[in-house]
Amino acid sequence: MIRRRITTAIAVAGVSALALVGCSSGDGGGGEGGGGDGGSVEGAPAWCGPEEAVVGLLDGFGGNSWRLVTTAAGQDEVEKCPSVVEYLYADGQGDTQKAISDIQGMVASGADAIVVFPDAGEAMLPALRSAYEAGVVTVPYRVDPGGEAGVDYDVWVGADFVADGVAWGEWIQENFPDGAKILFLSGPAGNSQGLDEREGFESVLTDAKYEFIGEQPYEVTNWDPALTQQVLTAAIAKYDQIDVIVSDFGPSLVGALPEFEKSGRSIPALATSDGNVLACFWQEKSPDNPDFKLTTVATGNDNVRLAVQHAVARATGGEIPEDTLFEAPQFEDSVDGDPSEVQCRDDLPGDIYLSAEMDADEQAALLE
């Protein structure tokens, strides 16, 4: 029987770590790991091979609830594989140089595989390449760092953000057939998620009656709720007309949206990602804000699970998953209820995501 305990956070070469300590079959894992036909541990998923490994997760920015839930989802996925004897975590805190240093520190600490959210995009590529060349299984996910799989890292596990953008564009087109002024908010400058989403909805909204206002291609928020509030508050003051706000982190908008009401304007339509705080805010505010329509896609916490599977498979000699693209489904639509009406759990904290695989009550426990 495999025994394990989760210790408190400790410092390892400047990296926060959660140690999953126990015994497992197989010898110590190495950077190159296994292949697509690798073996698996009895009772564990096929991607869990027999070789022991230390696996790390690195965020370019970990300072919001979405990252907290995502980090827990990554740990939950890691814990399905008894061959992973230690799970490390590092938060770049929105500082590109720190994020690069975190990768270097985790490699130096002896990680066999790392899963990296490269918020700063291509600026992270040299550090990823260095880890890969050092023999560490390297799996960037969600934000495309550029480069090439097999040269700069093992595999990039992306998400279909273009499809998200297309879904938002089609919703805007359907609900604003006469045109709209659209404000788009995304994360750090140059991040591939925002660029792909913009490509998606712009491919649908080709008519000049759809006007994109604000900084182009999007207002930079770093997915930070405090910065998002600053950016949106400034936009409300600057633009007399905002018909639709598109954002890839919907919950971060809630703090600023009441500024519309303060200025005597209805909160506009939102095309965004889900979050409990946003859904409950919509249920509270929509009766008095006639323009406040809402559509969401699943916010994508579970993208990390696929990335973890790829990293663990390669580090432990397990079966490498075939999929390399995470597909987030559409989640809510206040207009037609397809695929769901807006969902609010007002008995739980706002900082949870009902679209995530992790149970809502388990997410709430993370915030206690």
Side-chain angles (χ1 to χ4, degrees):
M1 175 181 292
I2 295 170
R3 297 181 299 106
R4 53 173 68 182
R5 60 186 175 86
I6 302 175
T7 69
T8 55
I10 58 175
V12 179
V15 178
S16 296
L18 291 175
L20 307 181
V21 183
C23 58
S24 65
S25 58
D27 299 325
E32 293 302 323
D37 297 323
S40 61
V41 176
E42 183 177 357
W47 47 266
C48 175
E51 300 174 28
E52 290 187 351
V54 175
V55 177
L57 175 67
L58 299 104
D59 270 329
F61 173 78
N64 59 47
S65 61
W66 188 91
R67 297 299 177 100
L68 183 66
V69 172
T70 299
T71 299
Q75 180 174 326
D76 180 63
E77 202 69 10
V78 163
E79 289 179 347
K80 296 175 183 178
C81 181
S83 301
V84 178
V85 295
E86 194 173 12
Y87 176 56
L88 309 172
Y89 174 75
D91 176 6
Q93 300 176 359
D95 183 333
T96 300
Q97 290 306 311
K98 183 181 186 304
I100 290 171
S101 178
D102 285 343
I103 291 176
Q104 296 167 341
M106 197 169 283
V107 171
S109 75
D112 300 298
I114 56 175
V115 176
V116 183
F117 198 128
D119 289 81
E122 293 188 9
M124 299 301 298
L125 187 59
L128 295 170
R129 184 187 305 116
S130 178
Y132 176 75
E133 291 176 347
V136 176
V137 173
T138 304
V139 182
Y141 82 105
R142 203 158 177 90
V143 171
D144 188 354
E148 181 181 349
V151 175
D152 301 294
Y153 43 79
D154 288 83
V155 62
W156 174 59
V157 178
D160 197 346
F161 295 122
V162 174
D164 291 347
V166 168
W168 291 333
E170 291 175 344
W171 185 86
I172 292 170
Q173 192 175 58
E174 179 178 350
N175 287 280
F176 294 86
D178 298 325
K181 293 185 182 294
I182 302 165
L183 179 70
F184 180 33
L185 286 69
S186 186
N191 83 85
S192 63
Q193 177 176 347
L195 295 175
D196 285 353
E197 291 161 345
R198 176 67 185 254
E199 176 186 340
F201 66 73
E202 203 171 45
S203 71
V204 176
L205 304 174
T206 56
D207 195 296
K209 63 187 177 182
Y210 297 104
E211 180 183 349
F212 303 105
I213 60 177
E215 293 295 321
Q216 304 299 314
Y218 52 76
E219 295 278 4
V220 172
T221 70
N222 293 340
W223 296 307
D224 177 358
L227 180 56
T228 299
Q229 182 164 350
Q230 294 176 26
V231 169
L232 187 53
T233 300
I236 292 170
K238 182 176 182 180
Y239 299 105
D240 293 333
Q241 181 180 351
I242 302 174
D243 298 305
V244 185
I245 298 172
V246 178
S247 169
D248 45 23
F249 189 33
S252 65
L253 303 173
V254 170
L257 290 172
E259 293 297 321
F260 284 101
E261 296 175 300
K262 292 178 183 177
S263 62
R265 297 154 65 180
S266 173
I267 297 172
L270 302 184
T272 186
S273 63
D274 84 288
N276 195 45
V277 66
L278 177 62
C280 294
F281 178 84
W282 179 87
Q283 289 195 356
E284 176 189 354
K285 294 291 187 178
S286 59
D288 297 324
N289 288 269
D291 300 328
F292 192 10
K293 303 179 180 72
L294 176 66
T295 186
T296 67
V297 296
T299 196
N301 304 91
D302 298 316
N303 197 160
V304 71
R305 294 180 183 271
L306 181 58
V308 163
Q309 292 171 16
H310 274 275
V312 171
R314 288 168 167 79
T316 65
E319 182 177 325
I320 296 175
E322 293 183 3
D323 292 337
T324 60
L325 190 68
F326 173 79
E327 297 183 7
Q330 291 180 260
F331 187 57
E332 301 160 307
D333 190 333
S334 70
V335 179
D336 61 16
D338 183 23
S340 170
E341 300 285 352
V342 177
Q343 299 183 31
C344 161
R345 284 286 304 271
D346 58 9
D347 60 319
L348 293 179
D351 293 339
I352 64 170
Y353 305 89
L354 298 180
S355 65
E357 179 179 324
M358 180 174 287
D359 179 78
D361 292 287
E362 292 181 14
Q363 293 182 49
L366 295 172
L367 308 176
E368 294 178 353

